[in-house]
Amino acid sequence: EAWLHKTSYFEYAIKSDAIILGLDISIFLKNRGLFESQIESFIAVVQILSDKKGIKFDEKLKEPISIVFFKYDLIDGDKEIEEEIKESANRLLQVCKNRSKYASIFFVSSVGELTKDGLPKSQLSPVNVVRPLVYLLKKYRE
């Protein structure tokens, strides 16, 4: 298995103006072990990215980080599950805040509310999809 930081794609991340780390809520719901593994991988990525950019431990990346939880519609606004997800990702958020001037989490859904059958409604109503991008743009300029 190739580590992300050893791929040629990672060179683009090193040169980026902002970082988006995406986590799939469906994985949290189905396989917590895999979800936790992905969080650990993202922690490693943030640490390695900081090192590759020459950021020392008393410095912070100027590039902002958005931690984005996709498929928010799957938890149907359940605040208890949302808090569980935040708790599971708390270490990642803390590492991001320690290594970057700006880091925040976002819950997004490209389809919005689901029907009782668990399917997208005919009229999609995305939730917070642009917020992580707007955040990155605003914070990068600060």
Side-chain angles (χ1 to χ4, degrees):
E1 180 176 323
W3 274 81
L4 174 63
H5 70 279
K6 292 184 178 181
T7 65
S8 60
Y9 178 79
F10 196 72
E11 294 301 317
Y12 290 110
I14 293 170
K15 297 174 187 172
S16 70
D17 293 332
I19 301 157
I20 297 175
L21 302 174
L23 291 157
D24 188 331
I25 288 176
S26 69
I27 294 172
F28 175 85
L29 296 172
K30 293 177 186 172
N31 187 340
R32 300 260 174 116
L34 178 57
F35 188 82
E36 294 294 333
S37 176
Q38 290 176 340
I39 286 173
E40 293 301 317
S41 292
F42 279 152
I43 289 170
V45 164
V46 170
Q47 299 287 26
I48 293 165
L49 182 65
S50 297
D51 292 344
K52 294 272 188 185
K53 286 182 169 271
I55 304 299
K56 297 178 177 107
F57 283 103
D58 59 339
E59 300 174 332
K60 293 189 178 200
L61 292 165
K62 67 176 182 173
E63 296 82 2
I65 301 173
S66 285
I67 302 168
V68 181
F69 296 102
F70 298 109
K71 300 182 184 175
Y72 185 57
D73 49 278
L74 294 178
I75 63 172
D76 195 29
D78 187 321
K79 295 299 180 190
E80 188 175 314
I81 295 174
E82 186 176 322
E83 286 304 314
E84 287 179 38
I85 293 168
K86 286 180 184 178
E87 183 61 34
S88 290
N90 187 53
R91 186 164 166 259
L92 172 60
L93 179 60
Q94 292 312 308
V95 167
C96 290
K97 285 183 174 184
N98 288 335
R99 301 300 277 160
S100 175
K101 288 167 121 181
Y102 306 104
S104 191
I105 63 170
F106 300 90
F107 287 85
V108 303
S109 170
S110 61
V111 298
E113 193 175 329
L114 301 177
T115 66
K116 290 179 183 179
D117 299 331
L119 300 171
K121 292 183 175 183
S122 60
Q123 180 65 37
L124 300 180
S125 54
V127 176
N128 294 331
V129 173
V130 298
R131 284 190 64 221
L133 301 172
V134 171
Y135 171 82
L136 293 174
L137 289 169
K138 283 182 178 179
K139 294 302 181 187
Y140 182 73
R141 293 181 182 187
E142 289 184 10

